[in-house]
Amino acid sequence: VRVTVLAPLLVVVVLVIGAEVSYSAWIYSYAIERVGMRKDEAAWLNSLFWTSFTLGRMCLAPLAACFSPGAMLIPALLVAFCANLLVLLQPDSLRVLWFGTSGAGVGVCALFSNTISLLAHYDLLSTRTTGAIGAAAAIGHMTLPNLVGHAIQHSSLEYEA
């Protein structure tokens, strides 16, 4: 049970931290280069992401006492996925970009903490596991934003990343 639970959750940590950092790192340049926002508006957009992230964590923390970590993980993944999909489907829409950025912040806010809670639920938190979580988070933090930049540069999003 240990590896069958731990390995997928470590992959989730890599992807969640990578997605969180990638979105916040690239949304500014995406908004300016692709959508044509002014620099101050793009900065506000990035602030919206982190504000949604923070407010989402504050609102979801009390719910963690009522629901299991697994029950909160799936809806958070769905919100993040749908928000990003919405932006991808309408890449030139300012209104969709603002809405999708807010949804992306709310969607990813609970993923990392719920992953930790899920590991604690299965009694898998130890010094070794915590180190593995830190390493997985670092791998996601370092690699995914770079991969996203290359994907942007070589895709139909049509701007130099």
Side-chain angles (χ1 to χ4, degrees), residues 23-37:
Y23 196 91
S24 67
W26 287 107
I27 193 62
Y28 178 82
S29 60
Y30 176 83
I32 291 171
E33 299 292 327
R34 173 66 182 190
V35 183
M37 273 189 181

Side-chain angles (χ1 to χ4, degrees), residues 23-158:
Y23 196 91
S24 67
W26 287 107
I27 193 62
Y28 178 82
S29 60
Y30 176 83
I32 291 171
E33 299 292 327
R34 173 66 182 190
V35 183
M37 273 189 181
R38 295 187 328 257
K39 289 183 178 183
D40 61 328
E41 290 175 327
W44 281 108
L45 185 67
N46 200 341
S47 295
L48 174 66
F49 175 80
W50 289 112
T51 301
S52 300
F53 182 92
T54 303
L55 291 175
R57 274 228 172 136
M58 290 171 56
C59 293
L60 291 175
L63 291 176
C66 302
F67 298 100
S68 71
M72 292 184 66
L73 193 62
I74 301 301
L77 281 169
L78 285 173
V79 169
F81 177 78
C82 290
N84 287 309
L85 182 65
L86 187 63
V87 171
L88 282 173
L89 291 176
Q90 296 186 7
D92 295 323
S93 172
L94 281 172
R95 193 170 284 154
V96 168
L97 186 59
W98 284 97
F99 183 75
T101 297
S102 180
V106 170
V108 298
C109 75
L111 296 177
F112 184 77
S113 56
N114 278 331
T115 303
I116 302 291
S117 296
L118 203 55
L119 287 169
H121 177 75
Y122 285 106
D123 201 26
L124 294 176
L125 279 182
S126 65
T127 54
R128 182 174 280 174
T129 306
T130 305
I133 293 167
I139 289 168
H141 191 278
M142 291 185 297
T143 57
L144 262 59
N146 188 25
L147 294 173
V148 168
H150 287 295
I152 289 171
Q153 191 172 7
H154 301 300
S155 72
S156 63
L157 294 175
E158 300 168 355

